[in-house]
C-alpha cells in the first residue's frame, strides 16, 4: 500500500528480486492504472514490473491471496488501513510511525492528535529485529522503525542494557540524505536548494524522539530523554549518526580506560557478533554511508576520548534500506520463517 | 606565498577585485612561470591575471614594493617564511596554523614536533577580527584562524565571556565541505569517494583542538577542554557546526527559560549586533551553508531545549572565505585602515 | 518585477553590489511584505536587503523614481507588464522570451498562442551585447536572451557572418544545470530525482529554437534550421554546449586545414578579441562550467577534426549570469552609459 | 586480476552474489595481504569477503582450480597476463581495450605502440553479447567492451546492419560519470574539481574510437568514421549518449516519416525485443542514467525530427556495470552455459 514514495519504491525493488516473494499488488492513488515499469523505469527489466499495475489504495480492491501487506503510507494514513487488513487475515508491516508508540498520550504529545485506533497500539511489535526478533516471529502487526531511530537505537541499546553508559545526557547528532524527506514536490527539497547546502532542521524537538526515547527507556529501565539534532545533507541515501555518551563509570587513567574498552568491546560483540547486518568496525575504520548504500547493513564504530572522558559512537546505514524497506523485509523474513538475509544480500 | 591551493586561489580571487589592493606577486613551485589565468582559467577575465606569473616561493624573488605577504602554505612550511618576510619589512598574514598557538609545548603536543621559530609565537596576533580587532590594527604577524576554529569560536566566545554557559562538557559537531581537505591528489578526496558519502574523521583528537581550546580558555578564564568531531560532507564549500552546551544556571520552568532567553539574546546582540559579517538569525531561521557560500558571512542561531535543559547553537560559514581567505582579507583591511568590508561585500 | 525565482534572485545579487545602481523596488506576489533578507538570507549582510520589502507585482505600486525595470517573470506574464512600464517612462529589460521573436507567426508556432502585444515586437532589441551593442544603447525595450541561446549564438554568429561554416546541418548539444528549470516545486527537479541522473529532454523541438534560428538566419542571411538537444545535469549552475559544424570549404590536407585554422582564429579574434566577457581559450584548454560559475564570462574553444572534416566548437557559461541576469545587467550598463563591466567583475 | 579499481570492485560485487560462481582469488599489488572486506568495507557483510585476501598479480600465485580469469587491469598491462593464463587452461575475460582491436596497425595508430601479443588479436572475441553471443559461447579470450563503445554500438549496430541510416556523418555526443576515469589519485578527478563542473575532454580523437569504428564498419560493411565527443559530468555512475544520424532515405512528408518510424521500430524490435538487458523506451520516455544505475540494463529511445530530417537516438547505461563488469559477467554466463541474467537481475 503506497508504493510510489521512496520507501515504497525501494520495497518494490527488494520484493521483486526476493526469492520467496511474489509481489501481488501495489497501490497508488496517483498512478492507478499504470504499470510499475511505467512509473519506475528502473524496474522495467523485471517481467513482473511490466505486468503489474498500480491499483487504488482500497482494501477491497486487493487480491484475495495476499498474506503480507506492507504500508508505506504517510504517517496518520497508515493507521486507517491496519484494522481492515488484519481483518482480512493479512499480516501487516507498517513503515510509518503510526504503531510505534505504545502510549497513546505520548503519541498525542508528539503528533498533536489522538491516535485513531489506540486499541492496536498494544498489539503491535516494534520491528527492530536485532532487539525484538522473537516477538516479530509471531506478530500480526509490525511497526517497522525508521531511519533516525534505527541509527540511534542500534548503537545505544546494548550499552544501556549493560549499564555501561549513563542514561542521562545522551546526545545524538544525525545527518540524513534527502530521500529521508520523501518524494514531495516542495521547494526545500529541490536540487538547487539542497545541493551545496548543509542545514539542521526540526531543532530541538523532532517527532521521532518519541519512539527513540520509548525504546531507550525500556532498555535502561528508567525514563530517558535525549538531545537529537537532524541535519539535511546533499546525498540521496544515508544516515550518519554521532552519539556523545558518558560512561557509567568514569575512567581516570589508562588502566581504567583499557578495562572499559574491553567491556564495551565485549558488550557489542555479544549483542551484534552474530547479527548478519550489523558490522562492528575495527582498527582505524570509521563508518561511511557509501559503504552501506543500497544494502541492509549498519556500520558501527566507537572511540573513548581520554581527554574528555566521553564515549563517542558512530553509525551509518542506508535510510531507505535498513532505515525503512530493508528492515521491513528483514522482519518479513523472520515472520515467514525465511532465512533472515533472503533478498537482502 | 602558496597561491595554488584552495585557500590561495580564493585569496587571489578576493585580492584581484579588492579596491585598495594591487596583487604584486604570487608564488607556486609547481606552476612557476605560468600566468595566473593559465593555472586558474576562472580568473582569465581579469587583465592582471593574464599578466601576472607565478614565481618560485623564495623570499628574495619577491618584488621590493610588497607591503603585505599572505602565507597560504602547508602547516610547518609557513613558519620558515615568516621571519625573512618580517625582516624585509612586510606585514605577514599567515593562513596556516603555525603561529596560532601561544604555548610551544601545546604546539608540540598537537603537531608532534618542536616549533621552528618559537620566539615569534609571542609576537603573533590571533586574527579573529571579532575578538582581536584592536590588536590586529598594530600587528606585524597575524595568525589567521581556519574554518573549524572560526565556526566554533564565534558562537562560543561571547557566551563564555559572559559566564552564561558552563566551560566544561562543551561538544562541537562539525560538517565540512571537501575543499577543507585541500587540493591534494589523494584517493580519499576523489569525486567518487566523496559523492554520496558522509563520514566522520580524526576522531577523537583533531589537531585544531589546540587553538580552539586556547581561545576558549582565555575567554572562560579557566582551562577548557572540548569534544570535537569533524565530518566530511559532499559539498565544495561550507562548515556547519552544532554546539551542545549547558547553561551555567539551570532553568527549571518557563519563567527561567524566558529569562535566560533574554540574556543570551542580549549577549549575542552586544557581541555581534554591529559586526558586519556575523548574522544572528531570528524567527524560525536556522543556518544553511548555501546562504554564506562565496561570502565572508557567518550565520548563527540558537535554541534552548526545555526537555533537556541544554542550549544548542548552530553556525554556518564558507570554509575558504570566512574560514580562511576572507578572514585574512578582513584582517588586512583592519591592519591597513581600509573599511573592514572592502573587497568582501 | 518577479524577484523570487533563480534569475530574479541573481539579478538582485548583482544589483545590490552594483556601484551605479540603487535597487528601488522588488516584486513578488508570494513574498509581498517580507524583506529581501527574510526571503533570501544570503543577502542579509546588505543593509538594503534588510530594509527593502517585496511589493505585489503591480505597476501602480512601483515608486515614481524608477528608471529601469527588469522583468524576471514567467514567459507570457512579462508581456503584460512591458506596455504599462514603458508608458511610465521606464526602460524595460525583459529576461523572458516574450519579446525575443520578431515574427508573431513564429512566436505562435513555438508558444502555441498569439502574442499579446505584437506591436511591441518590432520595437524590442535582442539584448545580446556582443551583437547588438549599438542598438541596445538607444533601446527602450530589451529582450535579454537566455542561457541556451547565448551559449549557442555566441560561438556560431561570427562563423556564419564570415561564411566560414555551412548554414545547414548545424547541431547543438547542450547540458544545463538544474537552476535552468526555475524555482518550481515539481517532482522532476527534486534533489533525489536529479542527483546521479543525466537525461535529455524536450527532444526534438525545444521552444528556444525559435529565437536561436531567428538570430542565426540573420547572421547567415538565409533561413537556418538547427538540431538542438538539451540535457539536464546535476549541477546548480552552468550551460555547456558542443556544436558540430561543417566548414564551408572542405579541407582535404594539412595545408588546407592549417589555412582554415588561421581563418577561424582570425574570425573569432576579430569578433571577441576585445570583448570583456568572452574568453577564447588557447593551447589545450577546453571549456569547463566551473571556470565561469558565478561570473558573466563565456569560455569558447574549438577544434578541427582531420578525420571527419568537421569543426567542433564548445562553449561554457553560467546559465543564470551570462545566460540570464548578468547579461541583463550588461545591457543595462550599455543603456545607461556605465562601463560595461560595472558590477560584473 | 586487478580488483582494486572501480571495475574490479564492481566485478567483485557481482561475483560475490552470483549463484553459480565461487570467487577463488583476487589480485592487487597495492593491497596484497589484506582481506577484501578491509579494502572495501561495503563487502564486509559477505563471509567470503572477510576471508579472501588479495594476492599479488602473478600468474603462478593463482590457485589451481581457476576456470575463468577476469582482467580488470590498465590498458597495456592486461595483454601480458592473457597468454600465461590461457596456457594454464583458463578462459580469459579482459575488461581492458587490449584485445578489442583486430588490426595491429589500428592498435598502433591509436595506442601509440606495437601490440605486445598480436597473435592473440585474431583469437579474441569482442564481448558484446547482443552481437556476438554465438562466438562468445566457444571463446577462450573475450575482449569485453567498455562504456563508451557499448553506449554507442548498441543503438547503432541494428540501424547500420539494416541500412536504415547513412554510415557517414555519424555523431556521438557522450556524457560520462567520474568513475569512468578510474580510481586514480589525480587533481582532475578530485571532488572539488568535478562537482559543479561540466567539461568535454579528449577532443577530437579519443582512443576508444578505434574499436567503435571497427565494429561499426563490420555492421555497415564499409569503413565508418564517426565524430565522438566525451564529457565529464559530476555523477558517480552512468553514460548518456546522444547520436545524431541521417536516415538513408530522406523523408519529406508525414507519410514518409510515418513509414520510416515503422521501419526503425521494427528494426530495433527485431534486434532487441528479446534481449534481457536492452530496454526500448516507448511513449514520451527518454533515457535517464538513474534508471540503469547499479544494473546491467540499457535504455534506448529515438526520435525522428521532421524539421531537420535527422534521427536522434539516445542511450543510457551504467558505465561500470553494462559498460564494464556487468557485461563481463554476462559474457561469462554465456560462456559457462548459465542463464544469461544470473547474478545480474
Amino acid at each position: 500500500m503506497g508504493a510510489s514514495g521512496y520507501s515504497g519504491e525501494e520495497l518494490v525493488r527488494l520484493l521483486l528480486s526476493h526469492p520467496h516473494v511474489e509481489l501481488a499488488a501495489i497501490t497508488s492513488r496517483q498512478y492507478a492504472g499504470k504499470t510499475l515499469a511505467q512509473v519506475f523505469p528502473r524496474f522495467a527489466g523485471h517481467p513482473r514490473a511490466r505486468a503489474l499495475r498500480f491499483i487504488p489504495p482500497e482494501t477491497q480492491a486487493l487480491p484475495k491471496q495476499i498474506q503480507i501487506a506492507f504500508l508505506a503510507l504517510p504517517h496518520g494514513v497508515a493507521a486507517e488501513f491496519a484494522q481492515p487488513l488484519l481483518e482480512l487475515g493479512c499480516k501487516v508491516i507498517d513503515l510509518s510511525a503510526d504503531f510505534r508508540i505504545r502510549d497513546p498520550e505520548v503519541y498525542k504529545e508528539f503528533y498533536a492528535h489522538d491516535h485513531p485506533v489506540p486499541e492496536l497500539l498494544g498489539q503491535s511489535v516494534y520491528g527492530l529485529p536485532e532487539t525484538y526478533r522473537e516477538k516479530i516471529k509471531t506478530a500480526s502487526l509490525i511497526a517497522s522503525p525508521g531511519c533516525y531511530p534505527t541509527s540511534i537505537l542500534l548503537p545505544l541499546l546494548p550499552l544501556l542494557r549493560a549499564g555501561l553508559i549513563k542514561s542521562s545526557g545522551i546526545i545524538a547528532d544525525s545527518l540524513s540524505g534527502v530521500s529521508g524527506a520523501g518524494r514531495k514536490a516542495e521547494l526545500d527539497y529541490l536540487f538547487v536548494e539542497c545541493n551545496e547546502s548543509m542545514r539542521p532542521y526540526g531543532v530541538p524537538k523532532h517527532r521521532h524522539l518519541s519512539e527513540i526515547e520509548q525504546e531507550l527507556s525500556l532498555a535502561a529501565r528508567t525514563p530517558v530523554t535525549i538531545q537529537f539534532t537532524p541535519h539535511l545533507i546533499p546525498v540521496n541515501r544515508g544516515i550518519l549518526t554521532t552519539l556523545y555518551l558518558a560512561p557509567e563509570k568514569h575512567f581516570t587513567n589508562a588502566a581504567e580506560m583499557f578495562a572499559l574498552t574491553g567491556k564495551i568491546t565485549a558488550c557489542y560483540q555479544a549483542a551484534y557478533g552474530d547479527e548478519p547486518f550489523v558490522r562492528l568496525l575495527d582498527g582505524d575504520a570509521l563508518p561511511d554511508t557509501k559503504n552501506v548504500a543500497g544494502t541492509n547493513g549498519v556500520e558501527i564504530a566507537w572511540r573513548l576520548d581520554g581527554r574528555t572522558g566521553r564515549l563517542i559512537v558512530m553509525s551509518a546505514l542506508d535510510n531507505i534500506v535498513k532505515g525503512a524497506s530493508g528492515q521491513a523485509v528483514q522482519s518479513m523474513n523472520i515472520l515467514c520463517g525465511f532465512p533472515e538475509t533472503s533478498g537482502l544480500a
Side-chain angles (χ1 to χ4, degrees), chain A residues 7-345:
Chain A
S7 301
E9 179 185 359
E10 190 74 4
L11 197 48
V12 164
R13 181 179 77 86
L14 294 169
L15 295 175
L16 275 177
S17 59
H18 193 291
H20 306 305
V21 167
E22 188 194 356
L23 190 58
I26 48 173
T27 81
S28 160
R29 201 172 302 281
Q30 179 185 7
Y31 296 123
K34 296 195 177 177
T35 68
L36 187 49
Q38 285 168 330
V39 174
F40 296 117
R42 70 187 61 182
F43 300 140
H46 289 267
R48 185 78 186 124
R50 294 193 298 268
L52 191 63
R53 288 181 189 278
F54 283 92
I55 57 174
E58 288 152 20
T59 319
Q60 63 274 29
L62 296 175
K64 296 291 165 243
Q65 78 271 32
I66 285 177
Q67 294 172 295
I68 310 267
F70 291 92
L71 305 182
L73 296 161
H75 297 309
V77 178
E80 303 168 20
F81 286 89
Q83 187 69 51
L85 285 165
L86 289 168
E87 284 167 9
L88 285 179
C90 287
K91 307 273 190 172
V92 175
I93 301 178
D94 178 16
L95 280 77
S96 86
D98 285 3
F99 296 103
R100 296 180 194 155
I101 308 297
R102 301 189 177 198
D103 182 343
E105 289 306 306
V106 173
Y107 182 90
K108 190 174 179 182
E109 179 196 344
F110 279 85
Y111 289 89
H113 60 86
D114 285 319
H115 195 283
V117 276
E119 60 276 17
L120 281 183
L121 290 184
Q123 193 179 324
S124 74
V125 170
Y126 194 73
L128 191 65
E130 289 76 9
T131 298
Y132 292 107
R133 186 171 282 116
E134 287 311 308
K135 290 193 175 177
I136 290 169
K137 284 181 184 169
T138 58
S140 51
L141 173 56
I142 294 172
S144 195
C147 50
Y148 287 126
T150 303
S151 82
I152 293 169
L153 292 174
L154 284 177
L156 277 180
L157 293 175
L159 301 174
L160 281 172
R161 272 192 229 110
L164 285 172
I165 56 167
K166 290 199 166 66
S167 63
S168 64
I170 294 173
I171 293 173
D173 189 288
S174 293
L175 317 179
S176 172
V178 185
S179 63
R183 184 183 264 130
K184 286 178 298 196
E186 296 182 8
L187 284 178
D188 278 355
Y189 308 115
L190 289 182
F191 182 84
V192 176
E193 303 301 317
C194 294
N195 187 34
E196 289 294 298
S197 161
M198 308 188 280
R199 49 181 136 135
Y201 68 97
V203 179
K205 193 178 174 186
H206 192 283
R207 49 171 54 176
H208 283 171
L209 273 171
S210 50
E211 60 179 285
I212 295 168
E213 293 179 350
Q214 165 184 285
E215 296 302 314
L216 295 178
S217 300
L218 286 167
R221 277 150 295 176
T222 185
V224 174
T225 301
I226 72 163
Q227 191 78 52
F228 168 56
T229 312
H231 298 78
L232 194 70
I233 300 295
V235 298
N236 278 4
R237 290 163 175 249
I239 292 273
L240 193 289
T241 288
T242 303
L243 295 158
Y244 298 94
L245 309 171
E248 183 60 49
K249 191 140 170 290
H250 197 60
F251 57 90
T252 55
N253 57 42
E256 288 175 7
M257 190 166 160
F258 183 78
L260 183 54
T261 297
K263 283 183 187 168
I264 297 169
T265 302
C267 171
Y268 273 132
Q269 194 59 37
Y272 297 132
D274 295 330
E275 282 295 337
F277 295 116
V278 184
R279 298 205 297 264
L280 303 167
L281 305 184
D282 48 24
D284 290 336
L286 290 174
D288 186 332
T289 56
K290 73 168 178 275
N291 293 337
V292 292
T295 81
N296 204 47
V298 182
E299 287 192 342
I300 295 177
W302 56 273
R303 297 288 186 274
L304 283 172
D305 187 345
R307 299 172 75 253
T308 63
R310 269 205 206 79
L311 170 62
I312 315 297
V313 189
M314 295 146 286
S315 72
L317 53 79
D318 182 324
N319 59 310
I320 50 176
V321 187
K322 183 61 180 172
S325 307
Q327 182 132 279
V329 169
Q330 188 181 354
S331 276
M332 180 199 69
N333 285 342
I334 295 169
L335 189 63
C336 298
F338 305 145
E340 198 165 324
T341 58
S342 284
L344 293 170

